[in-house]
Amino acid sequence: MILDQSHCIWEVATHLGEGPVWHAGEKALYFVDIKSRKIHRCAEDGSARQSWDAPDQIGFILPIMSNKGENGDFICGLPGKLVRFSSSTGSFSTMLEVETDQPGNRLNDGYIDSQGSLWFGSMDDGEKAPSGSLYRLQYSSNALVNLQAMDHDYVITNGPCMSPDGKLFYHTDTLGKKIYAFDVTPDGKLSGKRVFADITNGGHPDGTVVDAEGFLWVAIFAGNRVERYSPAGEIVQVISFPCSNITKVCFGGADLRTVFVTTAWKGMSAEKRAQQPLAGGLFSFRVDVPGLPQYQLSEYAS
C-alpha cells in the first residue's frame, strides 16, 4: 500500500537521471545523470545536496565494502570500463576495462546481489544495435577478477535484480518492452529464460527493484508511472507521476520504506519540458512493505 503521494524532493532536472541507491552507512541517496556526466547525493528528504562531475557518461554507482568490513568507495560503470569513485576525494580510477572492442557501447544499469557480486549491462549508446550484454563480476578469495558474460543481444539493458530468496533473476529488454525472469543457482548460473512481463500498455520498462515480499517494481519510461508486479507477473499497483520519463526506483531510509524514483527529460522537446517542469526531478513516496537491504560489492568474496 502507498502511504502517501509521490512528491519531488529535488528539482535537479537530470537529463537522464538513473541508478538511485540508498547508502545506509551514510544515510544518503546517490544517483547519476548519465548524459550530463554527474553523480548526485542527498539526504532522505532531499536536503544535504552534493554533486560531482564524472569523466564520462556514468551508468550506475554502487557501494563497495572495504576489506575491513567498513563502508568503502563506489564502483561505477563508464563506457568501456568499471571505475572506482571516492566520494571523499571526488577521484576516479579504472578498476577493469570492459568491451574495449565495442567503442559504440556504454555500460548501463547495475545491481549487487547478496553474495557481493555485481551484475550490470552494456548497451549501444545510439540505441539501435543489439550489441549489449549482461555481465556478472565477482572477486575470488585471492582478489582476482572473474567477469562473465551471462546473456547477449540487447539494444538497451536495464533493471538487473533478484528475488529475496536469490532464486529468481530479473533483467529488462527496454527497447523490446520485455522483462525476463531466469532461474539462478547459488553460484550465479542462469537458466530458464522466459518473459515475466510484456509492457503493452504504453511506455518502456526501465529500472527495477524487488521488495521484501518479492514483488517487482518497474519504472516505465515514457509512461508516467511505476508499476508493481506480483511474483506471478500480474500488475497489482500503479503509481502515477507528473512527468513521463520514469527511469528507476529504489528503497531506502532507516526502515527501507521510502521509495526513491529518478526521472529524465531526455528526448523531450522544449514545449514538452515546459509542460512537465518536474521532468528530471528526484521523487519519493512511502510504502508499507519495505525493500531489501542494499548490498555492497565484496572485493574478497569467495
Side-chain angles (χ1 to χ4, degrees):
M1 179 184 296
I2 305 300
L3 302 182
D4 62 6
Q5 296 297 313
S6 65
H7 59 283
C8 185
I9 61 173
W10 185 356
E11 294 181 25
V12 61
T14 53
H15 187 169
L16 183 53
E18 265 288 3
V21 57
W22 178 252
H23 196 295
E26 296 184 17
K27 298 179 181 178
L29 182 83
Y30 284 81
F31 61 104
V32 302
D33 184 342
I34 297 174
K35 294 300 181 181
S36 295
R37 304 180 179 187
K38 293 277 189 181
I39 295 171
H40 298 295
R41 177 189 185 274
C42 66
E44 183 177 356
D45 63 357
S47 65
R49 298 166 181 174
Q50 191 172 2
S51 301
W52 297 264
D53 291 321
D56 207 332
Q57 295 185 85
I58 179 166
F60 62 82
I61 178 170
L62 291 165
I64 299 174
M65 177 69 74
S66 76
N67 59 356
K68 296 180 181 179
E70 303 167 346
N71 294 324
D73 295 334
F74 296 84
I75 186 167
C76 305
L78 272 66
K81 58 187 174 181
L82 296 166
V83 302
R84 179 187 293 266
F85 167 69
S86 169
S87 60
S88 59
T89 66
S91 63
F92 294 82
S93 57
T94 299
M95 297 177 69
L96 179 68
E97 292 187 341
V98 181
E99 293 190 345
T100 55
D101 60 336
Q102 295 274 17
N105 275 12
R106 65 172 175 84
L107 302 190
N108 204 35
D109 208 356
Y111 164 79
I112 296 172
D113 66 24
S114 61
Q115 306 302 311
S117 296
L118 170 69
W119 298 76
F120 65 95
S122 63
M123 61 170 281
D124 173 28
D125 194 36
E127 302 180 6
K128 294 181 180 179
S131 56
S133 295
L134 170 68
Y135 291 93
R136 178 175 182 251
L137 172 72
Q138 62 179 154
Y139 284 76
S140 65
S141 57
N142 60 359
L144 294 177
V145 171
N146 179 20
L147 179 67
Q148 293 177 292
M150 310 300 291
D151 201 13
H152 302 279
D153 301 325
Y154 292 88
V155 178
I156 302 175
T157 56
N158 254 313
C161 64
M162 281 191 192
S163 60
D165 62 7
K167 295 181 179 180
L168 286 176
F169 182 85
Y170 299 100
H171 194 232
T172 301
D173 178 354
T174 293
L175 202 61
K177 298 188 177 185
K178 288 180 172 53
I179 301 168
Y180 292 104
F182 301 77
D183 299 313
V184 56
T185 61
D187 59 354
K189 291 184 175 62
L190 299 182
S191 63
K193 180 179 180 180
R194 65 267 191 192
V195 174
F196 172 78
D198 201 341
I199 309 302
T200 59
N201 54 343
H204 296 260
D206 206 313
T208 65
V209 69
V210 174
D211 64 27
E213 291 183 345
F215 285 63
L216 185 74
W217 295 70
V218 183
I220 306 296
F221 192 92
N224 297 80
R225 67 192 189 277
V226 168
E227 296 177 341
R228 184 179 186 238
Y229 285 79
S230 73
E234 301 170 341
I235 297 176
V236 296
Q237 205 159 24
V238 177
I239 303 93
S240 299
F241 288 80
C243 48
S244 59
N245 296 338
I246 316 303
T247 56
K248 189 161 184 176
V249 292
C250 84
F251 289 87
D255 58 3
L256 294 177
R257 293 194 296 125
T258 297
V259 179
F260 299 98
V261 185
T262 49
T263 66
W265 56 261
K266 176 180 178 289
M268 295 173 60
S269 65
E271 180 182 7
K272 195 166 186 179
R273 285 191 68 186
Q275 295 169 353
Q276 299 182 22
L278 296 180
L282 174 68
F283 291 77
S284 76
F285 58 89
R286 296 279 293 167
V287 294
D288 60 347
V289 176
L292 301 172
Q294 173 59 52
Y295 300 112
Q296 301 188 8
L297 177 71
S298 173
E299 295 185 279
Y300 295 87
S302 58

